[in-house]
Amino acid sequence: MILFVSCKQNEDKYHSLTDKIKDKSNPYHGTSIHSEKYLEDMDLIEITEGEHTFLIPERKGKIKSYACIECHSKPLDQMQNSVDSKKAHWDIKVMHANSNTMNCTTCHNGKDMNTLTSLTGNKIDFNRSYQLCSQCHTNQFEDWKGGAHGKKIAGWVPPRASITCVNCHNPHKPSFEKRWPARFNTQTVKERKEELEH
């Protein structure tokens, strides 16, 4: 006796969960949902990373001190000791990695301060600073490209727009500060206060 078995036992079943998700993700007929009206007043640029194409905020226009070469007209060691040094940002401390691993020139191009520099010395545009982050943070970068890491602008409906690494993380000190929730239990505050007094 020969028995034929099909993985698709009836027409209502899918071969796999992925097939079901793909089918159910197709736009509903006669419905057009999009996020364009929420993005109208934003200055966005389109990027393609691998198989993903989406929008990100334009960054250079938002950087107060851009273009950098307006001030960075001499080598850094000469500027640090000059009269103009009080205008500079010498107070920035890199709290990103061990100082033996990372310093200012790990990311900034001393010969062209209007660009960032990769670990291999290639220029990276400030609008694509995520490419700099992706050199070390590969898992987060892959998640970000796919939409699992970071924040969407105007939600998940197309066109997809996502903020970049530097919109959430300070590149010089990327970890988040610990802080109290916006609303917290007043009883817990009283208990902690009593503990401190004893």
Side-chain angles (χ1 to χ4, degrees):
M1 174 181 200
I2 298 174
L3 179 65
F4 292 98
V5 179
S6 170
C7 61
K8 193 170 184 181
Q9 294 176 1
N10 66 44
E11 293 304 314
D12 294 335
K13 301 284 183 181
Y14 294 92
H15 180 69
S16 69
L17 181 59
T18 307
D19 290 343
K20 183 175 182 178
I21 290 169
K22 283 180 183 174
D23 183 56
K24 298 289 183 184
S25 298
N26 288 332
Y28 293 104
H29 298 290
T31 307
S32 61
I33 301 172
H34 57 84
S35 61
E36 288 172 347
K37 76 175 194 172
Y38 300 106
L39 305 174
E40 286 174 354
D41 298 330
M42 301 187 77
D43 194 6
L44 301 167
I45 58 174
E46 185 178 271
I47 63 163
T48 299
E49 288 294 333
E51 62 191 51
H52 305 283
T53 298
F54 53 99
L55 303 167
I56 61 170
E58 191 277 338
R59 181 164 183 241
K60 287 192 285 196
K62 308 285 185 282
I63 301 173
K64 287 182 187 177
S65 301
Y66 194 84
C68 304
I69 58 171
E70 289 175 6
C71 295
H72 286 273
S73 55
K74 304 177 199 171
L76 290 178
D77 58 345
Q78 290 176 24
M79 288 187 69
Q80 196 164 12
N81 300 318
S82 73
V83 178
D84 297 330
S85 66
K86 55 188 152 199
K87 292 184 203 172
H89 28 239
W90 302 120
D91 58 335
I92 293 177
K93 290 186 174 34
V94 178
M95 298 178 75
H96 195 126
N98 182 299
S99 60
N100 292 326
T101 306
M102 178 179 264
N103 62 30
C104 303
T105 57
T106 306
C107 301
H108 293 279
N109 184 345
K111 295 178 182 158
D112 178 6
M113 295 300 283
N114 282 350
T115 62
L116 299 165
T117 187
S118 73
L119 294 173
T120 55
N122 295 320
K123 290 183 179 183
I124 296 176
D125 188 87
F126 272 97
N127 281 334
R128 298 180 186 275
S129 60
Y130 62 86
Q131 292 175 340
L132 191 66
C133 307
S134 72
Q135 298 174 112
C136 299
H137 304 283
T138 52
N139 290 342
Q140 292 87 341
F141 178 63
E142 290 301 317
D143 290 345
W144 176 75
K145 285 191 311 185
H149 185 98
K151 186 174 189 295
K152 307 289 150 286
I153 302 170
W156 284 94
V157 294
R160 178 184 157 200
S162 295
I163 59 176
T164 64
C165 314
V166 295
N167 294 117
C168 289
H169 300 274
N170 175 340
H172 304 114
K173 187 180 179 184
S175 61
F176 294 111
E177 297 287 332
K178 291 179 183 173
R179 57 181 156 166
W180 287 95
R183 295 180 63 175
F184 54 89
N185 185 321
T186 53
Q187 181 60 38
T188 304
V189 172
K190 286 178 187 174
E191 289 170 7
R192 287 186 177 146
K193 195 173 184 181
E194 289 172 6
E195 285 176 15
L196 290 172
E197 289 174 357
H198 295 291

